[in-house]
Amino acid sequence: MIIRYLVIALLCMVVQGVWAQAPAPSTELEPYITTLNNRMVYKFNYPSTSVTGEPVVLSSLLCCWAPTTPPEDAGIESVHLYSHYTVTANSQCPTNATSTTADLVALSILFEGAEYDEKIPYKSIVKRSIVIMPDYEGYGVSSDRVHPYLVQSVTAQQVVDALTYGLELYGKLNGANNTLPLKDDWRCFNLGYSQGGAVAVAVQRYIEQNNLSDELHFRGTLCGDGPYDLLATMRYYMDDNGTSYDVTTAHRENQITLPIVLPMIMNGMIVGSPAMSNHKLDDYFAQSFLDTGIMDWLSTKNMSTDDINDAWISLIDNGTVTIGEKTYTAPANMSEMFFKQEVPGMIWGTQTVAWAWLDKIFTPDFYNYMKSFDNFSNAPAMTGDAYEDMRYALETNNVCIGWQPQHRIQFAHSKGDMVVPYGNYLAFRDAHLNVENDIYRVDDTFTDSDHLKAGSLFLMKLGTEFFDYFQWIDAAQPTGITTMADARGLKSDRWYDLSGRMLDGRPTKKGVYIKDGCKVVIK
């Protein structure tokens, strides 16, 4: 009998240990970085839905203007929902940022506050703000999960869930740490670059299709160099000879300038598309490419994109690379798959990067399929064929088609981008020709740089030069917006269990639940 009780007690300890480790939705914002003048940075966990349709708890930052001596009648004028660019290391996600992390430094300009300035009338509206920065599924508290890279509808819902839940928790602060209330006419702007640019467009689509615009005070989107059309991106890699879009670049047909994006894209499709459930990466990639170690490096989430580039460079130069305790040996055809290229650095100087030949890293059959225009003459469909199903998965994550934007979108896109080519904007334009320069427009002159340098410029300009873009987005909105004194009513009728599962209504069973960011006991 004693042994039985000991076994039961041990099992209970194990179960409790698992429960203790599982993240739960936050009931209040957790102060994270408090050393920024007139600014606060918080963390929070929030309930959402996973790529497989199950309840999941995800994580996000919430950054806000919090002046020690606020001006008279000061309040939060804008809420910026920021979707981040591609990361591969968990250390790069927003909730692992430090006060010196480059993108947080750039974005902090958006929530530092500003005096009213008649010469720049929209500056104070943009900068007296809250910025919400979700991690995405697969990073932060959900880092044990696979990241559904560029699975747009799922990621959009998760990002919007961060917005609504984060604002609920913000409303509970009631002025703590110099925080300010949201003004009745606060505005929500939607921002992103690269992966985040495509997510931002998907977020606008999700908000509009789910009739959330009034509830969220949604105004529109400002996005840069996003992969809005994955098939258009793949066609560029296959066909461009450095002369597309009236610019000259170093890209040549059959080259990929950031090889890491291809296994991320295709693995995201396998994880997130029902059409891909019976397919594997080796249906598309040569085994020698997979043998470099790329999927190990991505799955550990310990290596940044620069780290992975350096590992490939080491395999080219030295034939081996040691990552942690494991040594990887270059495949025999390493020099046929990859070559080194000198490119401008993100800020100054040059950087050595590994580019790859598509006909060497893809299987021959898949390369020939993608190269043939005849295979793209008809609409994609789920057929059970690995190549057709991949095309179908890529097209179903195309955010250019299948909807009509109701709010303005300001695109910024470099014509010199060799990673996410300008054809992505053109794909959106071609799907919505009748509302160009009315509902959306593009700035394709802010830089002619490649992807990374264009991204650094985009982020810096958000809080320094793009005020007229925010004003243009907002100018199209109706004046009779529904007011909201604070954010606590956003989901006032929504209940969750402790695993983050949203319930149909008020629970009828006894237990502990979450409502409005608070734990509620039903007896």
Side-chain angles (χ1 to χ4, degrees), residues 430-467:
D430 292 346
H432 305 282
L433 288 171
N434 60 321
V435 291
E436 186 177 16
N437 295 319
D438 179 14
I439 291 296
Y440 70 93
R441 66 182 188 181
V442 66
D443 175 0
D444 52 21
T445 62
F446 80 102
T447 182
D448 60 0
S449 300
D450 197 11
H451 193 68
L452 295 181
K453 182 171 284 188
S456 64
L457 289 171
F458 177 87
L459 291 177
M460 291 301 298
K461 287 174 181 286
L462 280 175
T464 58
E465 298 181 28
F466 283 170
F467 303 121

Side-chain angles (χ1 to χ4, degrees), residues 34 119 144 211 492:
T34 60
K119 295 180 181 179
D144 59 327
N211 300 314
S492 59

Side-chain angles (χ1 to χ4, degrees), residues 357-377:
W357 295 103
L358 293 171
D359 63 341
K360 301 301 181 184
I361 67 173
F362 284 152
T363 65
D365 287 345
F366 183 58
Y367 176 80
N368 290 332
Y369 173 88
M370 293 299 296
K371 189 68 175 176
S372 173
F373 280 102
D374 291 342
N375 292 323
F376 294 82
S377 60

Side-chain angles (χ1 to χ4, degrees), residues 233-240 251-255 358-359 362 366-371:
T233 302
M234 295 285 281
R235 297 304 316 174
Y236 171 88
Y237 297 156
M238 289 282 180
D239 302 326
D240 170 71
H251 183 266
R252 295 295 179 267
E253 64 175 307
N254 189 29
Q255 291 179 355
L358 293 171
D359 63 341
F362 284 152
F366 183 58
Y367 176 80
N368 290 332
Y369 173 88
M370 293 299 296
K371 189 68 175 176

Side-chain angles (χ1 to χ4, degrees), residues 52-71:
T52 55
E54 303 165 343
V56 66
V57 174
L58 306 176
S59 46
S60 178
L61 284 189
L62 184 149
C63 317
C64 61
W65 179 47
T68 53
T69 307

Side-chain angles (χ1 to χ4, degrees), residues 308-318 339-340 352-354:
I308 293 174
N309 175 75
D310 291 345
W312 274 329
I313 294 291
S314 180
L315 289 177
I316 295 170
D317 289 344
N318 307 314
F339 62 99
K340 294 190 294 183
T352 303
V353 296

Side-chain angles (χ1 to χ4, degrees), residues 201 204-205 208-209 399-405 409 428 432:
V201 174
Q204 175 160 330
R205 179 181 64 182
E208 293 176 350
Q209 291 181 341
V399 296
C400 300
I401 58 177
W403 67 299
Q404 181 63 48
I409 305 174
F428 188 92
H432 305 282

